[in-house]
Amino acid sequence: MSIIKTTLLAAIFLIPMWHYGQHTDQINSNRPGETMSAFAVGKSVFQMETGIYGIKEKHELLNYENKGLGLDVMLRWGLFFEQLELIADLQYQNQQHLENFVMDQQSGLKKTVFGAKYLIFDPFKNYEKKVNLYSWKANRAFDWHQLIPAVSVFAGANLTMSNNPYYFSPKGEISPKVMLITQNHLGDGKWVFVTNIIGDYIGTDFPSYGYVLTLTRGFNDKWSGFIENQGFKSDFYSDAIIRGGAAFLLNKDMQIDASISNSLKNTPSMLYGGIGFSWRYDANYKEVRMKIK
């Protein structure tokens, strides 16, 4: 290796490294997938993620069909700590329900969840990737550290109103929802793999347990795409869903997206697609960083 290359690598190695807070230069939205990311938006940062969708559902055994439109809204607020995020997750759906040749118009809040997410482990904290001054090959080798995931937990509550057409019970209930979240950044950050393990409607007559796996690929500074597999099971309803889509960064605080989803079962079969918009307000954010020697 030439003296110039050796000197340059040594200079890079000796530059102090900084570990930043969870706030990123560009908006980091959960959309258009269904997974919740492990990292918070950052202390004092507010973020809104919303979208509209259309859905078509048909049940072969029960002989019913649903066609409708819906609205998703997720509000995220970083509060008190870099690791903490308060979340409100709402979904409203209006549909035509056809069963036994009888048409019924249904509408209501299909999902109303309030809770908080906390990052309990960050693999990048106090971590410095070593530079080998003598081996270009060693510096290009696979970084096994990226297999260590960031880990977060979410705890919240479902609020269900009485006579909700999308709920299995006619009475209103409040029930817990918990989630274990992991996130890996692979291939110098171009690939992101997120896992959610979910316990929902806990303590009710029909608790639900499931997972969501999302793999996202950043193609350039503006475009990213994702594929996703979601599964859930309860005595009331179970399914497996494949989802895919893309997102485009309008600027550092705004993103638009589109996705399409299809179920793997026909009890019921579901096909739905949507478009969305994410916006971040971070004017009050103060950079948090920690020097790593």
PDB file of all heavy atoms in Angstrom, residues 100-127:
ATOM      1  N   ASN A 100     -75.850 -12.743   1.525  1.00  0.00           N
ATOM      2  CA  ASN A 100     -77.168 -13.337   1.224  1.00  0.00           C
ATOM      3  C   ASN A 100     -78.064 -12.365   0.457  1.00  0.00           C
ATOM      4  O   ASN A 100     -79.246 -12.191   0.767  1.00  0.00           O
ATOM      5  CB  ASN A 100     -77.857 -13.790   2.522  1.00  0.00           C
ATOM      6  CG  ASN A 100     -77.083 -14.886   3.222  1.00  0.00           C
ATOM      7  OD1 ASN A 100     -76.480 -15.752   2.579  1.00  0.00           O
ATOM      8  ND2 ASN A 100     -77.079 -14.838   4.550  1.00  0.00           N
ATOM      9  N   PHE A 101     -77.435 -11.673  -0.521  1.00  0.00           N
ATOM     10  CA  PHE A 101     -78.128 -10.739  -1.409  1.00  0.00           C
ATOM     11  C   PHE A 101     -78.686  -9.513  -0.680  1.00  0.00           C
ATOM     12  O   PHE A 101     -79.553  -8.812  -1.202  1.00  0.00           O
ATOM     13  CB  PHE A 101     -79.275 -11.449  -2.149  1.00  0.00           C
ATOM     14  CG  PHE A 101     -78.829 -12.673  -2.892  1.00  0.00           C
ATOM     15  CD1 PHE A 101     -79.100 -13.940  -2.386  1.00  0.00           C
ATOM     16  CD2 PHE A 101     -78.137 -12.564  -4.084  1.00  0.00           C
ATOM     17  CE1 PHE A 101     -78.697 -15.081  -3.068  1.00  0.00           C
ATOM     18  CE2 PHE A 101     -77.717 -13.699  -4.775  1.00  0.00           C
ATOM     19  CZ  PHE A 101     -78.003 -14.954  -4.268  1.00  0.00           C
ATOM     20  N   VAL A 102     -78.189  -9.256   0.519  1.00  0.00           N
ATOM     21  CA  VAL A 102     -78.595  -8.083   1.293  1.00  0.00           C
ATOM     22  C   VAL A 102     -77.404  -7.139   1.418  1.00  0.00           C
ATOM     23  O   VAL A 102     -76.346  -7.545   1.899  1.00  0.00           O
ATOM     24  CB  VAL A 102     -79.123  -8.466   2.680  1.00  0.00           C
ATOM     25  CG1 VAL A 102     -79.484  -7.206   3.479  1.00  0.00           C
ATOM     26  CG2 VAL A 102     -80.327  -9.389   2.571  1.00  0.00           C
ATOM     27  N   MET A 103     -77.578  -5.894   0.981  1.00  0.00           N
ATOM     28  CA  MET A 103     -76.519  -4.904   1.037  1.00  0.00           C
ATOM     29  C   MET A 103     -76.633  -4.078   2.311  1.00  0.00           C
ATOM     30  O   MET A 103     -77.716  -3.582   2.649  1.00  0.00           O
ATOM     31  CB  MET A 103     -76.582  -3.985  -0.184  1.00  0.00           C
ATOM     32  CG  MET A 103     -75.476  -2.948  -0.233  1.00  0.00           C
ATOM     33  SD  MET A 103     -73.865  -3.667  -0.630  1.00  0.00           S
ATOM     34  CE  MET A 103     -74.114  -4.049  -2.387  1.00  0.00           C
ATOM     35  N   ASP A 104     -75.507  -3.931   3.011  1.00  0.00           N
ATOM     36  CA  ASP A 104     -75.487  -3.166   4.259  1.00  0.00           C
ATOM     37  C   ASP A 104     -74.307  -2.200   4.216  1.00  0.00           C
ATOM     38  O   ASP A 104     -73.181  -2.589   3.873  1.00  0.00           O
ATOM     39  CB  ASP A 104     -75.362  -4.110   5.454  1.00  0.00           C
ATOM     40  CG  ASP A 104     -75.403  -3.368   6.781  1.00  0.00           C
ATOM     41  OD1 ASP A 104     -75.996  -2.270   6.828  1.00  0.00           O
ATOM     42  OD2 ASP A 104     -74.829  -3.882   7.760  1.00  0.00           O
ATOM     43  N   GLN A 105     -74.549  -0.939   4.561  1.00  0.00           N
ATOM     44  CA  GLN A 105     -73.482   0.058   4.607  1.00  0.00           C
ATOM     45  C   GLN A 105     -72.891   0.082   6.014  1.00  0.00           C
ATOM     46  O   GLN A 105     -73.611   0.256   6.994  1.00  0.00           O
ATOM     47  CB  GLN A 105     -74.015   1.440   4.244  1.00  0.00           C
ATOM     48  CG  GLN A 105     -72.934   2.469   3.955  1.00  0.00           C
ATOM     49  CD  GLN A 105     -72.230   2.228   2.634  1.00  0.00           C
ATOM     50  OE1 GLN A 105     -72.838   1.713   1.701  1.00  0.00           O
ATOM     51  NE2 GLN A 105     -70.962   2.593   2.552  1.00  0.00           N
ATOM     52  N   GLN A 106     -71.577  -0.126   6.095  1.00  0.00           N
ATOM     53  CA  GLN A 106     -70.901  -0.179   7.388  1.00  0.00           C
ATOM     54  C   GLN A 106     -69.784   0.861   7.441  1.00  0.00           C
ATOM     55  O   GLN A 106     -69.106   1.102   6.445  1.00  0.00           O
ATOM     56  CB  GLN A 106     -70.319  -1.572   7.635  1.00  0.00           C
ATOM     57  CG  GLN A 106     -71.342  -2.682   7.660  1.00  0.00           C
ATOM     58  CD  GLN A 106     -70.706  -4.059   7.794  1.00  0.00           C
ATOM     59  OE1 GLN A 106     -69.531  -4.253   7.465  1.00  0.00           O
ATOM     60  NE2 GLN A 106     -71.473  -5.028   8.269  1.00  0.00           N
ATOM     61  N   SER A 107     -69.582   1.444   8.606  1.00  0.00           N
ATOM     62  CA  SER A 107     -68.490   2.396   8.790  1.00  0.00           C
ATOM     63  C   SER A 107     -68.131   2.472  10.267  1.00  0.00           C
ATOM     64  O   SER A 107     -68.961   2.209  11.133  1.00  0.00           O
ATOM     65  CB  SER A 107     -68.874   3.783   8.267  1.00  0.00           C
ATOM     66  OG  SER A 107     -69.959   4.303   9.005  1.00  0.00           O
ATOM     67  N   GLY A 108     -66.893   2.837  10.534  1.00  0.00           N
ATOM     68  CA  GLY A 108     -66.442   2.957  11.917  1.00  0.00           C
ATOM     69  C   GLY A 108     -64.936   2.921  12.020  1.00  0.00           C
ATOM     70  O   GLY A 108     -64.219   2.726  11.015  1.00  0.00           O
ATOM     71  N   LEU A 109     -64.443   3.114  13.223  1.00  0.00           N
ATOM     72  CA  LEU A 109     -63.008   3.037  13.481  1.00  0.00           C
ATOM     73  C   LEU A 109     -62.603   1.560  13.565  1.00  0.00           C
ATOM     74  O   LEU A 109     -62.968   0.868  14.509  1.00  0.00           O
ATOM     75  CB  LEU A 109     -62.660   3.767  14.765  1.00  0.00           C
ATOM     76  CG  LEU A 109     -62.637   5.297  14.674  1.00  0.00           C
ATOM     77  CD1 LEU A 109     -62.551   5.918  16.056  1.00  0.00           C
ATOM     78  CD2 LEU A 109     -61.461   5.763  13.812  1.00  0.00           C
ATOM     79  N   LYS A 110     -61.861   1.109  12.582  1.00  0.00           N
ATOM     80  CA  LYS A 110     -61.427  -0.275  12.549  1.00  0.00           C
ATOM     81  C   LYS A 110     -60.261  -0.519  13.518  1.00  0.00           C
ATOM     82  O   LYS A 110     -60.064  -1.628  14.009  1.00  0.00           O
ATOM     83  CB  LYS A 110     -61.007  -0.654  11.127  1.00  0.00           C
ATOM     84  CG  LYS A 110     -60.881  -2.131  10.880  1.00  0.00           C
ATOM     85  CD  LYS A 110     -60.666  -2.423   9.407  1.00  0.00           C
ATOM     86  CE  LYS A 110     -60.615  -3.929   9.159  1.00  0.00           C
ATOM     87  NZ  LYS A 110     -60.429  -4.210   7.697  1.00  0.00           N
ATOM     88  N   LYS A 111     -59.499   0.552  13.769  1.00  0.00           N
ATOM     89  CA  LYS A 111     -58.373   0.442  14.708  1.00  0.00           C
ATOM     90  C   LYS A 111     -58.215   1.748  15.457  1.00  0.00           C
ATOM     91  O   LYS A 111     -58.191   2.822  14.861  1.00  0.00           O
ATOM     92  CB  LYS A 111     -57.085   0.100  13.944  1.00  0.00           C
ATOM     93  CG  LYS A 111     -55.856  -0.004  14.812  1.00  0.00           C
ATOM     94  CD  LYS A 111     -54.679  -0.615  14.052  1.00  0.00           C
ATOM     95  CE  LYS A 111     -54.307   0.145  12.815  1.00  0.00           C
ATOM     96  NZ  LYS A 111     -53.094  -0.393  12.154  1.00  0.00           N
ATOM     97  N   THR A 112     -58.118   1.663  16.782  1.00  0.00           N
ATOM     98  CA  THR A 112     -57.855   2.818  17.628  1.00  0.00           C
ATOM     99  C   THR A 112     -56.881   2.381  18.717  1.00  0.00           C
ATOM    100  O   THR A 112     -57.265   1.744  19.697  1.00  0.00           O
ATOM    101  CB  THR A 112     -59.151   3.349  18.279  1.00  0.00           C
ATOM    102  OG1 THR A 112     -60.132   3.565  17.268  1.00  0.00           O
ATOM    103  CG2 THR A 112     -58.885   4.655  19.017  1.00  0.00           C
ATOM    104  N   VAL A 113     -55.613   2.713  18.530  1.00  0.00           N
ATOM    105  CA  VAL A 113     -54.571   2.258  19.438  1.00  0.00           C
ATOM    106  C   VAL A 113     -53.768   3.461  19.931  1.00  0.00           C
ATOM    107  O   VAL A 113     -53.333   4.308  19.136  1.00  0.00           O
ATOM    108  CB  VAL A 113     -53.618   1.256  18.753  1.00  0.00           C
ATOM    109  CG1 VAL A 113     -52.505   0.822  19.714  1.00  0.00           C
ATOM    110  CG2 VAL A 113     -54.384   0.048  18.246  1.00  0.00           C
ATOM    111  N   PHE A 114     -53.583   3.546  21.250  1.00  0.00           N
ATOM    112  CA  PHE A 114     -52.730   4.559  21.852  1.00  0.00           C
ATOM    113  C   PHE A 114     -51.664   3.843  22.690  1.00  0.00           C
ATOM    114  O   PHE A 114     -51.988   2.914  23.440  1.00  0.00           O
ATOM    115  CB  PHE A 114     -53.541   5.495  22.749  1.00  0.00           C
ATOM    116  CG  PHE A 114     -54.576   6.290  22.013  1.00  0.00           C
ATOM    117  CD1 PHE A 114     -55.895   5.851  21.963  1.00  0.00           C
ATOM    118  CD2 PHE A 114     -54.237   7.469  21.369  1.00  0.00           C
ATOM    119  CE1 PHE A 114     -56.855   6.569  21.288  1.00  0.00           C
ATOM    120  CE2 PHE A 114     -55.203   8.206  20.685  1.00  0.00           C
ATOM    121  CZ  PHE A 114     -56.514   7.749  20.641  1.00  0.00           C
ATOM    122  N   GLY A 115     -50.423   4.276  22.555  1.00  0.00           N
ATOM    123  CA  GLY A 115     -49.371   3.601  23.315  1.00  0.00           C
ATOM    124  C   GLY A 115     -48.051   4.324  23.229  1.00  0.00           C
ATOM    125  O   GLY A 115     -47.951   5.477  22.776  1.00  0.00           O
ATOM    126  N   ALA A 116     -46.987   3.636  23.657  1.00  0.00           N
ATOM    127  CA  ALA A 116     -45.644   4.202  23.666  1.00  0.00           C
ATOM    128  C   ALA A 116     -44.640   3.125  23.276  1.00  0.00           C
ATOM    129  O   ALA A 116     -44.808   1.951  23.588  1.00  0.00           O
ATOM    130  CB  ALA A 116     -45.315   4.768  25.045  1.00  0.00           C
ATOM    131  N   LYS A 117     -43.596   3.575  22.592  1.00  0.00           N
ATOM    132  CA  LYS A 117     -42.507   2.692  22.175  1.00  0.00           C
ATOM    133  C   LYS A 117     -41.210   3.170  22.816  1.00  0.00           C
ATOM    134  O   LYS A 117     -40.960   4.381  22.910  1.00  0.00           O
ATOM    135  CB  LYS A 117     -42.384   2.710  20.651  1.00  0.00           C
ATOM    136  CG  LYS A 117     -41.254   1.856  20.091  1.00  0.00           C
ATOM    137  CD  LYS A 117     -41.205   1.952  18.574  1.00  0.00           C
ATOM    138  CE  LYS A 117     -40.797   3.323  18.112  1.00  0.00           C
ATOM    139  NZ  LYS A 117     -40.716   3.426  16.639  1.00  0.00           N
ATOM    140  N   TYR A 118     -40.378   2.211  23.255  1.00  0.00           N
ATOM    141  CA  TYR A 118     -39.107   2.581  23.901  1.00  0.00           C
ATOM    142  C   TYR A 118     -37.985   1.699  23.364  1.00  0.00           C
ATOM    143  O   TYR A 118     -38.120   0.468  23.335  1.00  0.00           O
ATOM    144  CB  TYR A 118     -39.214   2.432  25.419  1.00  0.00           C
ATOM    145  CG  TYR A 118     -38.006   2.980  26.146  1.00  0.00           C
ATOM    146  CD1 TYR A 118     -37.900   4.349  26.395  1.00  0.00           C
ATOM    147  CD2 TYR A 118     -36.977   2.146  26.559  1.00  0.00           C
ATOM    148  CE1 TYR A 118     -36.794   4.867  27.056  1.00  0.00           C
ATOM    149  CE2 TYR A 118     -35.867   2.666  27.215  1.00  0.00           C
ATOM    150  CZ  TYR A 118     -35.776   4.025  27.466  1.00  0.00           C
ATOM    151  OH  TYR A 118     -34.685   4.538  28.100  1.00  0.00           O
ATOM    152  N   LEU A 119     -36.908   2.327  22.931  1.00  0.00           N
ATOM    153  CA  LEU A 119     -35.728   1.605  22.444  1.00  0.00           C
ATOM    154  C   LEU A 119     -34.916   1.116  23.639  1.00  0.00           C
ATOM    155  O   LEU A 119     -34.408   1.915  24.419  1.00  0.00           O
ATOM    156  CB  LEU A 119     -34.881   2.515  21.566  1.00  0.00           C
ATOM    157  CG  LEU A 119     -33.610   1.908  20.999  1.00  0.00           C
ATOM    158  CD1 LEU A 119     -33.925   0.915  19.880  1.00  0.00           C
ATOM    159  CD2 LEU A 119     -32.671   3.000  20.474  1.00  0.00           C
ATOM    160  N   ILE A 120     -34.795  -0.201  23.779  1.00  0.00           N
ATOM    161  CA  ILE A 120     -34.067  -0.747  24.921  1.00  0.00           C
ATOM    162  C   ILE A 120     -32.640  -1.160  24.575  1.00  0.00           C
ATOM    163  O   ILE A 120     -31.802  -1.335  25.450  1.00  0.00           O
ATOM    164  CB  ILE A 120     -34.814  -1.944  25.535  1.00  0.00           C
ATOM    165  CG1 ILE A 120     -35.027  -3.058  24.499  1.00  0.00           C
ATOM    166  CG2 ILE A 120     -36.138  -1.500  26.110  1.00  0.00           C
ATOM    167  CD1 ILE A 120     -35.700  -4.297  25.074  1.00  0.00           C
ATOM    168  N   PHE A 121     -32.348  -1.310  23.263  1.00  0.00           N
ATOM    169  CA  PHE A 121     -30.983  -1.656  22.867  1.00  0.00           C
ATOM    170  C   PHE A 121     -30.680  -1.092  21.485  1.00  0.00           C
ATOM    171  O   PHE A 121     -31.426  -1.300  20.540  1.00  0.00           O
ATOM    172  CB  PHE A 121     -30.779  -3.176  22.847  1.00  0.00           C
ATOM    173  CG  PHE A 121     -29.411  -3.585  22.346  1.00  0.00           C
ATOM    174  CD1 PHE A 121     -28.288  -3.379  23.126  1.00  0.00           C
ATOM    175  CD2 PHE A 121     -29.256  -4.160  21.087  1.00  0.00           C
ATOM    176  CE1 PHE A 121     -27.027  -3.735  22.663  1.00  0.00           C
ATOM    177  CE2 PHE A 121     -28.008  -4.529  20.623  1.00  0.00           C
ATOM    178  CZ  PHE A 121     -26.891  -4.317  21.416  1.00  0.00           C
ATOM    179  N   ASP A 122     -29.573  -0.360  21.392  1.00  0.00           N
ATOM    180  CA  ASP A 122     -29.112   0.219  20.130  1.00  0.00           C
ATOM    181  C   ASP A 122     -27.723  -0.330  19.824  1.00  0.00           C
ATOM    182  O   ASP A 122     -26.757  -0.016  20.519  1.00  0.00           O
ATOM    183  CB  ASP A 122     -29.064   1.741  20.258  1.00  0.00           C
ATOM    184  CG  ASP A 122     -28.609   2.424  18.966  1.00  0.00           C
ATOM    185  OD1 ASP A 122     -28.295   1.709  17.992  1.00  0.00           O
ATOM    186  OD2 ASP A 122     -28.567   3.664  18.934  1.00  0.00           O
ATOM    187  N   PRO A 123     -27.575  -1.175  18.789  1.00  0.00           N
ATOM    188  CA  PRO A 123     -26.272  -1.780  18.504  1.00  0.00           C
ATOM    189  C   PRO A 123     -25.228  -0.780  18.015  1.00  0.00           C
ATOM    190  O   PRO A 123     -24.029  -1.080  18.004  1.00  0.00           O
ATOM    191  CB  PRO A 123     -26.597  -2.799  17.406  1.00  0.00           C
ATOM    192  CG  PRO A 123     -27.808  -2.255  16.735  1.00  0.00           C
ATOM    193  CD  PRO A 123     -28.604  -1.591  17.818  1.00  0.00           C
ATOM    194  N   PHE A 124     -25.663   0.426  17.605  1.00  0.00           N
ATOM    195  CA  PHE A 124     -24.730   1.426  17.104  1.00  0.00           C
ATOM    196  C   PHE A 124     -24.189   2.327  18.214  1.00  0.00           C
ATOM    197  O   PHE A 124     -23.247   3.083  17.994  1.00  0.00           O
ATOM    198  CB  PHE A 124     -25.405   2.283  16.037  1.00  0.00           C
ATOM    199  CG  PHE A 124     -25.926   1.479  14.875  1.00  0.00           C
ATOM    200  CD1 PHE A 124     -27.286   1.267  14.727  1.00  0.00           C
ATOM    201  CD2 PHE A 124     -25.066   0.916  13.951  1.00  0.00           C
ATOM    202  CE1 PHE A 124     -27.775   0.528  13.670  1.00  0.00           C
ATOM    203  CE2 PHE A 124     -25.544   0.168  12.891  1.00  0.00           C
ATOM    204  CZ  PHE A 124     -26.900  -0.028  12.743  1.00  0.00           C
ATOM    205  N   LYS A 125     -24.794   2.238  19.394  1.00  0.00           N
ATOM    206  CA  LYS A 125     -24.349   3.070  20.497  1.00  0.00           C
ATOM    207  C   LYS A 125     -22.989   2.594  20.995  1.00  0.00           C
ATOM    208  O   LYS A 125     -22.794   1.421  21.290  1.00  0.00           O
ATOM    209  CB  LYS A 125     -25.378   3.035  21.632  1.00  0.00           C
ATOM    210  CG  LYS A 125     -25.083   4.017  22.759  1.00  0.00           C
ATOM    211  CD  LYS A 125     -26.206   4.010  23.777  1.00  0.00           C
ATOM    212  CE  LYS A 125     -25.946   5.036  24.873  1.00  0.00           C
ATOM    213  NZ  LYS A 125     -27.030   5.069  25.875  1.00  0.00           N
ATOM    214  N   ASN A 126     -22.047   3.536  21.080  1.00  0.00           N
ATOM    215  CA  ASN A 126     -20.682   3.245  21.531  1.00  0.00           C
ATOM    216  C   ASN A 126     -19.953   2.253  20.621  1.00  0.00           C
ATOM    217  O   ASN A 126     -18.971   1.649  21.024  1.00  0.00           O
ATOM    218  CB  ASN A 126     -20.665   2.699  22.965  1.00  0.00           C
ATOM    219  CG  ASN A 126     -21.198   3.699  23.963  1.00  0.00           C
ATOM    220  OD1 ASN A 126     -20.984   4.900  23.829  1.00  0.00           O
ATOM    221  ND2 ASN A 126     -21.926   3.208  24.958  1.00  0.00           N
ATOM    222  N   TYR A 127     -20.453   2.095  19.393  1.00  0.00           N
ATOM    223  CA  TYR A 127     -19.802   1.170  18.455  1.00  0.00           C
ATOM    224  C   TYR A 127     -19.023   1.956  17.410  1.00  0.00           C
ATOM    225  O   TYR A 127     -19.513   2.929  16.847  1.00  0.00           O
ATOM    226  CB  TYR A 127     -20.823   0.290  17.751  1.00  0.00           C
ATOM    227  CG  TYR A 127     -20.247  -0.504  16.599  1.00  0.00           C
ATOM    228  CD1 TYR A 127     -19.370  -1.556  16.828  1.00  0.00           C
ATOM    229  CD2 TYR A 127     -20.565  -0.174  15.287  1.00  0.00           C
ATOM    230  CE1 TYR A 127     -18.828  -2.279  15.768  1.00  0.00           C
ATOM    231  CE2 TYR A 127     -20.033  -0.892  14.217  1.00  0.00           C
ATOM    232  CZ  TYR A 127     -19.161  -1.949  14.466  1.00  0.00           C
ATOM    233  OH  TYR A 127     -18.638  -2.650  13.415  1.00  0.00           O
TER     234      TYR A 127
END
